[in-house]
Amino acid sequence: MQGEGARAAPRIAPGGRAEIGVLNDAIVTLIGIPAGGRANVFTTLARHRKLFRRWLRFAAALMPGGRLSRADTELVILRVAHNAGCAYEWEHHRRLGRLAGLSEGEIDRVREGPDADGWGPRQRALLAAADELHAERDLSDERWAELSRHLGERELIEFLMLVGHYEMLAMTLNALRVQPDAPGRAPRLI
């Protein structure tokens, strides 16, 4: 995992009310209530006021509002974070993965990939498809057939959008060098 960006100074610092606006400040505060504080991902992205609100609606439709189970969603996001070398995304979703029912062993095993011992067929298919999308930006017919045995049509579309969204977010967080949140803080969204 790269993590270098997480240690370097942020390229765009998280914003306060003056930088993100009253509406975004209220949104960030509301999102932070269950998490115990304001997350840097939100206070940084909210500096682009209009885009932030549009992005948040899309992100929430995938997680937590998607059709995939929370455990499957977190498994996929963790694999994307690992593949993209995004320490911020990894730490955020490590905590959210535990809340979704993933064990510490499962979370640690995500780094080993789909061939690690202990995964069921569905988990292997999700992880392998996330890896192939990361490497190829497409899925082979064989991988699609394997994934289709576990997901319906709408879930397949959602899976592709989930991987693509978190790849984009990881790239953005790495390039902006968004700093880790204080220990114990993790938003319920994204």
Side-chain angles (χ1 to χ4, degrees):
M1 183 142 332
Q2 288 172 329
E4 295 302 317
R7 288 190 289 270
R11 288 183 166 149
I12 297 176
R17 177 178 275 190
E19 295 83 19
I20 68 176
V22 174
L23 179 57
N24 284 351
D25 187 69
I27 292 168
V28 168
T29 300
L30 186 62
I31 292 169
I33 289 171
R38 296 157 60 96
N40 290 339
V41 61
F42 296 130
T43 54
T44 301
L45 297 181
R47 292 180 76 108
H48 189 309
R49 296 175 187 193
K50 191 180 223 181
L51 182 60
F52 171 69
R53 291 187 300 273
R54 290 177 176 168
W55 164 75
L56 200 55
R57 285 184 56 171
F58 174 74
L62 291 170
M63 199 290 285
R67 298 177 65 86
L68 294 172
S69 75
R70 293 289 296 121
D72 285 349
T73 298
E74 292 304 330
L75 185 74
V76 170
I77 294 169
L78 285 165
R79 190 60 184 171
V80 169
H82 170 76
N83 287 340
C86 186
Y88 186 98
E89 195 169 74
W90 176 267
E91 286 307 315
H92 245 46
H93 288 278
R94 176 182 200 91
R95 291 178 287 215
L96 292 173
R98 286 193 302 264
L99 291 172
L102 296 177
S103 70
E104 279 298 320
E106 288 171 320
I107 291 169
D108 290 340
R109 195 167 59 239
V110 166
R111 293 186 191 274
E112 297 175 44
D115 295 328
D117 290 337
W119 296 127
R122 180 183 176 97
Q123 293 165 320
R124 281 186 198 282
L126 293 170
L127 293 168
D131 285 359
E132 192 169 311
L133 284 167
H134 178 76
E136 304 297 329
R137 300 299 192 222
D138 196 2
L139 291 177
S140 65
D141 290 341
E142 295 79 18
R143 184 74 62 214
W144 180 259
E146 177 188 14
L147 198 57
S148 295
R149 286 193 286 276
H150 302 282
L151 303 178
E153 187 177 89
R154 290 182 183 157
E155 291 172 319
L156 287 163
I157 293 169
E158 182 178 312
F159 171 82
L160 297 171
M161 298 292 283
L162 181 72
V163 171
H165 173 257
Y166 280 91
E167 288 270 348
M168 178 219 48
L169 186 59
M171 175 198 63
T172 302
L173 294 170
N174 283 342
L176 290 174
R177 297 195 172 114
V178 174
Q179 300 298 295
D181 294 318
R185 270 195 352 211
R188 302 281 182 209
L189 302 174
I190 78 145

